[in-house]
Amino acid sequence: MNTLDEVLNAVLSRRRWVVTSHARPDGDAVGSVLGCVQVLRAMGRQADAYVGDCVPYIYRRLPGIAELRSGPVDATQYDGVIIIECDSLQRASVQGIAGLFSISLDHHQDSIEFADLNHVVASASAASVLVYRLAQRAGVAITPEIATCLYAAVLTDTGSFCYSGTNAQTFSFACEMVLAGADPVAIAHQVYFSNPAAKMHLLGRALSTLRCEGAISWMHVTRADMISSGASELDCEGLVNWALSIDGIEASAFFREIEGSRYRVSLRSKGRIDVARIAASFGGGGHSCASGHVIEGTLEVATDRVLTALRRALEVVS
């Protein structure tokens, strides 16, 4: 693994940067990318933010979001790419970055060293913490705009400070962002109280399928549910947390039907079960408390395979 000083030296030795993250970006991905772009610009670098997929509606008021690009990248216009909390160039889903000098900033415990420089700190509560540390090392002052992006990132990636990785350092970082100008109330309202009506209609359909078995819960939506509610795949973000919120539940799964007789599965845990390990067994990944993957087959087949894995994991910790 590379040190933060090595990352800083690489940034300073190159002037034009792409900043990106994984496909289907979540709050940490969006906030960290936008914050990192602003940090690099404060260092006198040219920096542009790219994402491979649409940004969820609840993050579309973050500072700098209007400049977010979708690609492809003209590699002749850049000297390097910073890829945040992503395990490969391919998963970023942004065309044109493969030939650029690359830096990976990640906080996933199972992070893969795929870039020219790889700085991974598994103890960090969110990738935005690493962006903040880079800014500190470079002597960049944290503006209210940067603080807003980085606070939104840690708020969402810790599940509103609920996941097991939340600790004193998490709150210290959040405090620093608030002191720098982030408005925690406004950000919380943006993230949790600005959902489109279609998402609420979809939630109703999902909750109508809710099932519980001991400490495990699960629910699903079909493609027909998505169409009838007028929802997009972005509206599925966070729905699994409703199943997890039940008293006595330790882990939850949310199944969304996608094309090709497949299901996209979102897994959540209250901390006792490492759902990242389960997702990895199906070719996915994520955090120990929040992860996901795609599985082929009918709903019955997908449910049976995932629930079997969850049951085994629960037996181990019981």
Side-chain angles (χ1 to χ4, degrees):
M1 296 294 179
N2 299 101
T3 66
L4 192 58
D5 284 330
E6 290 177 295
V7 172
L8 177 58
N9 290 334
V11 170
L12 292 175
S13 66
R14 296 166 178 82
R15 296 200 59 82
R16 306 172 301 172
W17 288 91
V18 172
V19 184
T20 190
S21 186
H22 55 78
R24 300 186 309 280
D26 56 12
D28 193 19
V30 178
S32 295
V33 166
L34 295 176
C36 187
V37 164
Q38 295 173 65
V39 169
L40 293 183
R41 290 176 178 175
M43 295 167 61
R45 309 297 97 177
Q46 174 191 327
D48 296 308
Y50 283 82
V51 291
D53 287 312
C54 293
V55 172
Y57 182 83
I58 57 177
Y59 306 125
R60 293 183 182 179
R61 296 177 188 170
L62 289 176
I65 197 74
E67 298 182 38
L68 199 61
R69 307 181 183 188
S70 59
V73 170
D74 180 356
T76 65
Q77 301 300 310
Y78 298 97
D79 304 310
V81 55
I82 296 178
I83 307 155
I84 300 177
E85 69 151 14
C86 189
D87 57 13
S88 68
L89 290 172
Q90 292 72 28
R91 191 168 175 234
S93 296
V94 176
Q95 297 180 355
I97 62 175
L100 295 172
F101 177 86
S102 57
I103 297 174
S104 170
L105 298 179
D106 201 356
H107 70 121
H108 289 91
Q109 192 168 11
D110 57 353
S111 180
I112 300 171
E113 295 188 45
F114 67 91
D116 294 304
L117 290 181
N118 300 273
H119 182 65
V120 180
V121 182
S123 61
S125 300
S128 61
V129 174
L130 306 184
V131 176
Y132 174 57
R133 292 176 182 174
L134 177 62
Q136 285 184 305
R137 193 62 57 91
V140 171
I142 301 299
T143 65
E145 292 75 21
I146 295 174
T148 295
C149 293
L150 301 188
Y151 181 92
V154 74
L155 173 69
T156 55
D157 219 42
T158 59
S160 302
F161 307 112
C162 290
Y163 293 158
S164 59
T166 304
N167 52 37
Q169 288 71 37
T170 310
F171 288 105
S172 177
F173 170 69
C175 180
E176 289 296 326
M177 296 304 98
V178 173
L179 291 173
D183 183 336
V185 175
I187 295 170
H189 283 191
Q190 175 186 333
V191 171
Y192 300 113
F193 302 130
S194 63
N195 289 298
K199 181 171 183 174
M200 296 298 98
H201 289 305
L202 185 65
L203 172 61
R205 287 166 170 78
L207 288 174
S208 71
T209 72
L210 177 65
R211 300 291 183 272
C212 299
E213 176 192 288
I216 300 170
S217 63
W218 67 98
M219 57 187 186
H220 74 271
V221 295
T222 64
R223 296 180 72 183
D225 290 328
M226 299 288 290
I227 294 171
S228 62
S229 63
S232 70
E233 66 175 88
L234 300 177
D235 294 321
C236 293
E237 182 177 354
L239 297 190
V240 64
N241 294 326
W242 288 86
L244 186 66
S245 67
I246 301 169
D247 184 33
I249 295 297
E250 290 295 333
S252 298
F254 172 70
F255 300 82
R256 176 172 68 86
E257 185 183 19
I258 57 178
E259 70 285 347
S261 299
R262 299 180 299 163
Y263 280 83
R264 186 171 299 283
V265 185
S266 297
L267 299 174
R268 294 295 184 271
S269 167
K270 289 179 180 175
R272 293 180 61 202
I273 297 177
D274 184 354
V275 291
R277 191 181 299 272
I278 294 174
S281 70
F282 291 104
H287 302 290
S288 61
C289 289
S291 60
H293 63 275
V294 172
I295 190 168
E296 295 186 359
T298 64
L299 177 63
E300 291 72 22
V301 169
T303 302
D304 181 66
R305 293 182 63 189
V306 172
L307 293 184
T308 297
L310 287 171
R311 292 181 189 116
R312 289 173 179 168
L314 190 61
E315 288 174 358
V316 171
V317 300
S318 297

